Amino acid sequence: MTHDEIRESIPGYALHALAPEDARDVEAHLATCAECQRELGVFEDAAASLAIGFAPEEPPAALRRRVLDAVRSRRRTGALGVGWTAALAAAAALIVVLAGVALSLEQRLGALTARVDSETQALALLADPASRLVTLSGSAGGRVRFVFDPATGRGALVATGLRNPGSDLVYQLWLVAGAAPHSAGVFRPSSGTPVIVAVGADFPRYQAVAISVERGPNGAARPSAAPVLVGKLGGG
Amino acid sequence: MRGSTVSLLNAGDDEALLARVAQADPEAFEALYARYSGPAYSIAMGMLRDTIRAQEVTQDVFLAIWRGARAFDPARGSARTWILSVAHHKSVDAVRRARRSPTVPLSDTIAGDVDVIEEAQARVDAGHVRRALEALSAEQRVALVLAYYGGYTQQEIAQRLGVPLGTIKTRIRDGLLRLRSVLPAPAPETAR
């Protein structure tokens, strides 16, 4: 879609009234178009004023506990030894988060490069005696390793020198169990800076990690193409 | 814990809380939950009319906030708009899943346009939002209500009303701009 066609769809996007494929087109465009980002801000504000049109309902008190517990359990899965914590903090700052943030992410990555030697941080991960290391091989170039601890379910992908997948495209990481790959996040390579993607999973269930090239910024629900990199986990 | 949450409610704005949530600060998250669980749950209940599903959606919304706080860019909008947008998005997704599921009675899926519009319009409870919608043309109002409160896509709306997709896009754009002039975005205190 052209800029003008996308622009016509921005109000509908703000109302979540686009078909999924159209929404993906808009998101891909938003990542690189400041004008459309500004427009979206205007329409999202207007949409938010509709949010207060719903009848006020009080959520059950028990829901609060469930939500806080769910978040806490996710937090605990991130709580490892001191070395891991530092590494994951660095990784967390670098993780590619979903939804059209490519620009601000690049800026943030640029800022971080100066003060965080993230490869050193990743080495803390690699140095943990309990963790296992898999090197992915394939056609995307670069040096891509996956380090994980089967006991705690903690892992991270560390990628350097991957070639640019092309504008509007991302690398998507998959955990493969039988014929059913599960998405473990999307990322774009960053020249000169290692990309670290933290992954929490029950690793013994999976046979392999794989990376495919998918449409940005959110990737795909299932791989749409053959993987460009694969590493065997030895599970399953 | 409760005391510190209350003090957080008085200190700091939503943007500051969200920035702390991005740093995995559980107290800031609790404070955001205290502020926005009501609005988020109200959106989910309004869309889904089902307490179980609305709770699931609300939980999804807050997990998305916890995981996605880092993606929030204050240069692109307020924290409040972002949170309400996440809540609406998750609710719309749940409504669409429910419509696709075979447990929805057939009569719901083949109901006439009038029923669909009335059903969506019935979700608008707040008087000032109703009045603001009345300031729009009937065409703009129907398009906006079906999209935002009905959870229908532009294509579905165009099909139902038998008008070109481009016309629906225009009605939604003009309707939202009009709405913006008659219904200023409220302060967080009046979010409920």
Side-chain angles (χ1 to χ4, degrees), chain B residues 41-70:
Chain B
Y41 183 72
S42 302
I43 293 170
M45 268 300 281
M47 298 288 292
L48 293 156
R49 304 257 179 237
D50 178 312
T51 56
I52 302 295
R53 280 186 173 148
Q55 288 182 58
E56 286 168 1
V57 165
T58 305
Q59 178 158 345
D60 275 359
V61 167
F62 280 92
L63 287 178
I65 290 169
W66 176 253
R67 283 195 299 259
R70 265 177 272 118

mmCIF file of all heavy atoms in Angstrom, chain B residues 41-70:
data_model
loop_
_atom_site.group_PDB
_atom_site.id
_atom_site.type_symbol
_atom_site.label_atom_id
_atom_site.label_comp_id
_atom_site.label_asym_id
_atom_site.label_seq_id
_atom_site.Cartn_x
_atom_site.Cartn_y
_atom_site.Cartn_z
ATOM 1 N N TYR B 41 -11.720 -3.155 32.561
ATOM 2 C CA TYR B 41 -12.766 -4.163 32.759
ATOM 3 C C TYR B 41 -14.103 -3.658 32.198
ATOM 4 O O TYR B 41 -14.883 -4.439 31.646
ATOM 5 C CB TYR B 41 -12.877 -4.477 34.254
ATOM 6 C CG TYR B 41 -13.869 -5.564 34.591
ATOM 7 C CD1 TYR B 41 -13.599 -6.893 34.279
ATOM 8 C CD2 TYR B 41 -15.069 -5.261 35.222
ATOM 9 C CE1 TYR B 41 -14.511 -7.890 34.589
ATOM 10 C CE2 TYR B 41 -15.983 -6.253 35.543
ATOM 11 C CZ TYR B 41 -15.699 -7.567 35.227
ATOM 12 O OH TYR B 41 -16.597 -8.555 35.540
ATOM 13 N N SER B 42 -14.355 -2.361 32.320
ATOM 14 C CA SER B 42 -15.608 -1.801 31.791
ATOM 15 C C SER B 42 -15.667 -1.945 30.274
ATOM 16 O O SER B 42 -16.721 -2.258 29.711
ATOM 17 C CB SER B 42 -15.726 -0.321 32.169
ATOM 18 O OG SER B 42 -15.676 -0.170 33.572
ATOM 19 N N ILE B 43 -14.535 -1.713 29.615
ATOM 20 C CA ILE B 43 -14.489 -1.881 28.155
ATOM 21 C C ILE B 43 -14.759 -3.346 27.808
ATOM 22 O O ILE B 43 -15.585 -3.658 26.945
ATOM 23 C CB ILE B 43 -13.113 -1.443 27.597
ATOM 24 C CG1 ILE B 43 -12.923 0.070 27.777
ATOM 25 C CG2 ILE B 43 -12.978 -1.825 26.126
ATOM 26 C CD1 ILE B 43 -11.500 0.552 27.479
ATOM 27 N N ALA B 44 -14.072 -4.250 28.513
ATOM 28 C CA ALA B 44 -14.222 -5.682 28.213
ATOM 29 C C ALA B 44 -15.650 -6.152 28.482
ATOM 30 O O ALA B 44 -16.232 -6.896 27.689
ATOM 31 C CB ALA B 44 -13.221 -6.499 29.032
ATOM 32 N N MET B 45 -16.237 -5.705 29.600
ATOM 33 C CA MET B 45 -17.620 -6.106 29.910
ATOM 34 C C MET B 45 -18.581 -5.522 28.884
ATOM 35 O O MET B 45 -19.525 -6.177 28.451
ATOM 36 C CB MET B 45 -18.001 -5.620 31.324
ATOM 37 C CG MET B 45 -17.745 -6.631 32.418
ATOM 38 S SD MET B 45 -18.665 -8.169 32.177
ATOM 39 C CE MET B 45 -20.288 -7.659 32.773
ATOM 40 N N GLY B 46 -18.363 -4.262 28.509
ATOM 41 C CA GLY B 46 -19.242 -3.627 27.532
ATOM 42 C C GLY B 46 -19.223 -4.360 26.206
ATOM 43 O O GLY B 46 -20.250 -4.556 25.567
ATOM 44 N N MET B 47 -18.040 -4.808 25.802
ATOM 45 C CA MET B 47 -17.910 -5.488 24.520
ATOM 46 C C MET B 47 -18.393 -6.933 24.602
ATOM 47 O O MET B 47 -18.966 -7.455 23.660
ATOM 48 C CB MET B 47 -16.449 -5.492 24.060
ATOM 49 C CG MET B 47 -15.837 -4.117 23.813
ATOM 50 S SD MET B 47 -16.444 -3.278 22.343
ATOM 51 C CE MET B 47 -15.795 -4.275 21.017
ATOM 52 N N LEU B 48 -18.100 -7.610 25.718
ATOM 53 C CA LEU B 48 -18.290 -9.062 25.771
ATOM 54 C C LEU B 48 -19.538 -9.492 26.544
ATOM 55 O O LEU B 48 -20.052 -10.591 26.323
ATOM 56 C CB LEU B 48 -17.053 -9.725 26.399
ATOM 57 C CG LEU B 48 -15.799 -9.621 25.539
ATOM 58 C CD1 LEU B 48 -14.538 -9.741 26.382
ATOM 59 C CD2 LEU B 48 -15.809 -10.700 24.468
ATOM 60 N N ARG B 49 -19.987 -8.651 27.471
ATOM 61 C CA ARG B 49 -21.171 -8.989 28.272
ATOM 62 C C ARG B 49 -21.026 -10.346 28.947
ATOM 63 O O ARG B 49 -21.946 -11.161 28.943
ATOM 64 C CB ARG B 49 -22.428 -9.018 27.395
ATOM 65 C CG ARG B 49 -22.664 -7.735 26.650
ATOM 66 C CD ARG B 49 -23.751 -6.938 27.330
ATOM 67 N NE ARG B 49 -23.977 -5.692 26.656
ATOM 68 C CZ ARG B 49 -23.880 -4.504 27.252
ATOM 69 N NH1 ARG B 49 -23.578 -4.430 28.530
ATOM 70 N NH2 ARG B 49 -24.122 -3.407 26.595
ATOM 71 N N ASP B 50 -19.856 -10.624 29.468
ATOM 72 C CA ASP B 50 -19.604 -11.942 30.055
ATOM 73 C C ASP B 50 -18.501 -11.745 31.093
ATOM 74 O O ASP B 50 -17.369 -11.376 30.736
ATOM 75 C CB ASP B 50 -19.162 -12.895 28.932
ATOM 76 C CG ASP B 50 -18.832 -14.302 29.439
ATOM 77 O OD1 ASP B 50 -18.090 -14.431 30.425
ATOM 78 O OD2 ASP B 50 -19.321 -15.264 28.832
ATOM 79 N N THR B 51 -18.841 -11.973 32.363
ATOM 80 C CA THR B 51 -17.877 -11.631 33.424
ATOM 81 C C THR B 51 -16.608 -12.486 33.332
ATOM 82 O O THR B 51 -15.512 -11.999 33.595
ATOM 83 C CB THR B 51 -18.495 -11.811 34.822
ATOM 84 O OG1 THR B 51 -18.966 -13.151 34.932
ATOM 85 C CG2 THR B 51 -19.629 -10.839 35.057
ATOM 86 N N ILE B 52 -16.744 -13.753 32.938
ATOM 87 C CA ILE B 52 -15.561 -14.615 32.859
ATOM 88 C C ILE B 52 -14.630 -14.132 31.751
ATOM 89 O O ILE B 52 -13.432 -13.933 31.940
ATOM 90 C CB ILE B 52 -15.973 -16.090 32.585
ATOM 91 C CG1 ILE B 52 -16.906 -16.602 33.681
ATOM 92 C CG2 ILE B 52 -14.744 -16.971 32.458
ATOM 93 C CD1 ILE B 52 -16.273 -16.698 35.050
ATOM 94 N N ARG B 53 -15.223 -13.935 30.569
ATOM 95 C CA ARG B 53 -14.393 -13.478 29.444
ATOM 96 C C ARG B 53 -13.814 -12.098 29.709
ATOM 97 O O ARG B 53 -12.671 -11.814 29.333
ATOM 98 C CB ARG B 53 -15.216 -13.437 28.155
ATOM 99 C CG ARG B 53 -15.366 -14.806 27.534
ATOM 100 C CD ARG B 53 -16.063 -14.687 26.204
ATOM 101 N NE ARG B 53 -16.065 -15.974 25.526
ATOM 102 C CZ ARG B 53 -17.038 -16.375 24.719
ATOM 103 N NH1 ARG B 53 -18.069 -15.594 24.505
ATOM 104 N NH2 ARG B 53 -16.968 -17.532 24.131
ATOM 105 N N ALA B 54 -14.612 -11.246 30.337
ATOM 106 C CA ALA B 54 -14.115 -9.884 30.605
ATOM 107 C C ALA B 54 -12.924 -9.936 31.558
ATOM 108 O O ALA B 54 -11.975 -9.164 31.432
ATOM 109 C CB ALA B 54 -15.239 -9.017 31.172
ATOM 110 N N GLN B 55 -12.958 -10.859 32.509
ATOM 111 C CA GLN B 55 -11.820 -10.987 33.426
ATOM 112 C C GLN B 55 -10.591 -11.516 32.685
ATOM 113 O O GLN B 55 -9.466 -11.065 32.921
ATOM 114 C CB GLN B 55 -12.170 -11.922 34.581
ATOM 115 C CG GLN B 55 -13.158 -11.309 35.565
ATOM 116 C CD GLN B 55 -13.459 -12.238 36.723
ATOM 117 O OE1 GLN B 55 -12.568 -12.648 37.442
ATOM 118 N NE2 GLN B 55 -14.722 -12.585 36.882
ATOM 119 N N GLU B 56 -10.818 -12.484 31.794
ATOM 120 C CA GLU B 56 -9.684 -13.001 31.013
ATOM 121 C C GLU B 56 -9.055 -11.895 30.179
ATOM 122 O O GLU B 56 -7.827 -11.758 30.122
ATOM 123 C CB GLU B 56 -10.163 -14.129 30.075
ATOM 124 C CG GLU B 56 -10.460 -15.423 30.798
ATOM 125 C CD GLU B 56 -11.214 -16.421 29.907
ATOM 126 O OE1 GLU B 56 -11.489 -16.111 28.720
ATOM 127 O OE2 GLU B 56 -11.544 -17.492 30.424
ATOM 128 N N VAL B 57 -9.925 -11.104 29.545
ATOM 129 C CA VAL B 57 -9.405 -10.020 28.709
ATOM 130 C C VAL B 57 -8.648 -9.010 29.571
ATOM 131 O O VAL B 57 -7.557 -8.558 29.206
ATOM 132 C CB VAL B 57 -10.561 -9.339 27.932
ATOM 133 C CG1 VAL B 57 -10.110 -8.000 27.352
ATOM 134 C CG2 VAL B 57 -11.061 -10.256 26.833
ATOM 135 N N THR B 58 -9.206 -8.680 30.734
ATOM 136 C CA THR B 58 -8.547 -7.697 31.602
ATOM 137 C C THR B 58 -7.175 -8.207 32.037
ATOM 138 O O THR B 58 -6.193 -7.457 32.063
ATOM 139 C CB THR B 58 -9.436 -7.392 32.825
ATOM 140 O OG1 THR B 58 -10.727 -6.983 32.361
ATOM 141 C CG2 THR B 58 -8.829 -6.283 33.683
ATOM 142 N N GLN B 59 -7.118 -9.496 32.355
ATOM 143 C CA GLN B 59 -5.811 -10.068 32.725
ATOM 144 C C GLN B 59 -4.834 -9.977 31.549
ATOM 145 O O GLN B 59 -3.676 -9.594 31.719
ATOM 146 C CB GLN B 59 -6.000 -11.528 33.161
ATOM 147 C CG GLN B 59 -4.675 -12.204 33.505
ATOM 148 C CD GLN B 59 -4.858 -13.422 34.411
ATOM 149 O OE1 GLN B 59 -5.906 -13.614 35.007
ATOM 150 N NE2 GLN B 59 -3.828 -14.239 34.511
ATOM 151 N N ASP B 60 -5.324 -10.313 30.349
ATOM 152 C CA ASP B 60 -4.491 -10.188 29.136
ATOM 153 C C ASP B 60 -3.984 -8.767 28.965
ATOM 154 O O ASP B 60 -2.835 -8.546 28.584
ATOM 155 C CB ASP B 60 -5.317 -10.529 27.887
ATOM 156 C CG ASP B 60 -5.341 -12.004 27.605
ATOM 157 O OD1 ASP B 60 -4.697 -12.758 28.362
ATOM 158 O OD2 ASP B 60 -6.017 -12.396 26.639
ATOM 159 N N VAL B 61 -4.885 -7.819 29.192
ATOM 160 C CA VAL B 61 -4.528 -6.408 29.013
ATOM 161 C C VAL B 61 -3.368 -6.049 29.935
ATOM 162 O O VAL B 61 -2.379 -5.447 29.503
ATOM 163 C CB VAL B 61 -5.747 -5.500 29.309
ATOM 164 C CG1 VAL B 61 -5.327 -4.038 29.431
ATOM 165 C CG2 VAL B 61 -6.803 -5.669 28.224
ATOM 166 N N PHE B 62 -3.453 -6.461 31.193
ATOM 167 C CA PHE B 62 -2.406 -6.053 32.132
ATOM 168 C C PHE B 62 -1.108 -6.825 31.918
ATOM 169 O O PHE B 62 -0.023 -6.278 32.133
ATOM 170 C CB PHE B 62 -2.923 -6.106 33.576
ATOM 171 C CG PHE B 62 -3.741 -4.890 33.883
ATOM 172 C CD1 PHE B 62 -5.110 -4.896 33.689
ATOM 173 C CD2 PHE B 62 -3.123 -3.723 34.280
ATOM 174 C CE1 PHE B 62 -5.860 -3.746 33.911
ATOM 175 C CE2 PHE B 62 -3.855 -2.569 34.506
ATOM 176 C CZ PHE B 62 -5.234 -2.587 34.327
ATOM 177 N N LEU B 63 -1.209 -8.061 31.463
ATOM 178 C CA LEU B 63 0.026 -8.761 31.098
ATOM 179 C C LEU B 63 0.672 -8.073 29.891
ATOM 180 O O LEU B 63 1.892 -7.952 29.816
ATOM 181 C CB LEU B 63 -0.255 -10.238 30.803
ATOM 182 C CG LEU B 63 -0.550 -11.086 32.040
ATOM 183 C CD1 LEU B 63 -0.877 -12.525 31.645
ATOM 184 C CD2 LEU B 63 0.628 -11.081 33.000
ATOM 185 N N ALA B 64 -0.171 -7.621 28.962
ATOM 186 C CA ALA B 64 0.364 -6.912 27.787
ATOM 187 C C ALA B 64 1.018 -5.604 28.216
ATOM 188 O O ALA B 64 2.037 -5.199 27.652
ATOM 189 C CB ALA B 64 -0.756 -6.652 26.769
ATOM 190 N N ILE B 65 0.435 -4.947 29.214
ATOM 191 C CA ILE B 65 1.026 -3.699 29.716
ATOM 192 C C ILE B 65 2.371 -3.999 30.380
ATOM 193 O O ILE B 65 3.366 -3.313 30.168
ATOM 194 C CB ILE B 65 0.057 -3.007 30.699
ATOM 195 C CG1 ILE B 65 -1.153 -2.462 29.948
ATOM 196 C CG2 ILE B 65 0.777 -1.899 31.490
ATOM 197 C CD1 ILE B 65 -2.278 -1.990 30.847
ATOM 198 N N TRP B 66 2.391 -5.070 31.165
ATOM 199 C CA TRP B 66 3.630 -5.449 31.864
ATOM 200 C C TRP B 66 4.743 -5.769 30.866
ATOM 201 O O TRP B 66 5.863 -5.316 30.991
ATOM 202 C CB TRP B 66 3.334 -6.658 32.760
ATOM 203 C CG TRP B 66 4.521 -7.222 33.473
ATOM 204 C CD1 TRP B 66 5.164 -8.392 33.184
ATOM 205 C CD2 TRP B 66 5.201 -6.658 34.600
ATOM 206 N NE1 TRP B 66 6.199 -8.584 34.060
ATOM 207 C CE2 TRP B 66 6.244 -7.533 34.944
ATOM 208 C CE3 TRP B 66 5.027 -5.492 35.347
ATOM 209 C CZ2 TRP B 66 7.126 -7.287 35.986
ATOM 210 C CZ3 TRP B 66 5.897 -5.245 36.398
ATOM 211 C CH2 TRP B 66 6.926 -6.145 36.701
ATOM 212 N N ARG B 67 4.369 -6.556 29.848
ATOM 213 C CA ARG B 67 5.381 -6.964 28.863
ATOM 214 C C ARG B 67 5.701 -5.860 27.886
ATOM 215 O O ARG B 67 6.815 -5.753 27.394
ATOM 216 C CB ARG B 67 4.874 -8.174 28.070
ATOM 217 C CG ARG B 67 4.946 -9.477 28.822
ATOM 218 C CD ARG B 67 4.776 -10.628 27.846
ATOM 219 N NE ARG B 67 3.481 -10.571 27.186
ATOM 220 C CZ ARG B 67 2.459 -11.323 27.529
ATOM 221 N NH1 ARG B 67 2.572 -12.193 28.491
ATOM 222 N NH2 ARG B 67 1.309 -11.223 26.915
ATOM 223 N N GLY B 68 4.698 -5.028 27.591
ATOM 224 C CA GLY B 68 4.861 -4.090 26.479
ATOM 225 C C GLY B 68 5.160 -2.666 26.889
ATOM 226 O O GLY B 68 5.261 -1.792 26.034
ATOM 227 N N ALA B 69 5.306 -2.426 28.199
ATOM 228 C CA ALA B 69 5.506 -1.044 28.663
ATOM 229 C C ALA B 69 6.710 -0.407 27.980
ATOM 230 O O ALA B 69 6.734 0.797 27.741
ATOM 231 C CB ALA B 69 5.667 -1.013 30.179
ATOM 232 N N ARG B 70 7.695 -1.233 27.659
ATOM 233 C CA ARG B 70 8.894 -0.698 27.013
ATOM 234 C C ARG B 70 8.595 -0.179 25.613
ATOM 235 O O ARG B 70 9.323 0.638 25.071
ATOM 236 C CB ARG B 70 9.988 -1.773 26.955
ATOM 237 C CG ARG B 70 10.961 -1.679 28.116
ATOM 238 C CD ARG B 70 11.978 -2.791 28.067
ATOM 239 N NE ARG B 70 11.482 -3.965 28.759
ATOM 240 C CZ ARG B 70 11.267 -5.139 28.193
ATOM 241 N NH1 ARG B 70 11.520 -5.326 26.940
ATOM 242 N NH2 ARG B 70 10.819 -6.137 28.902
#
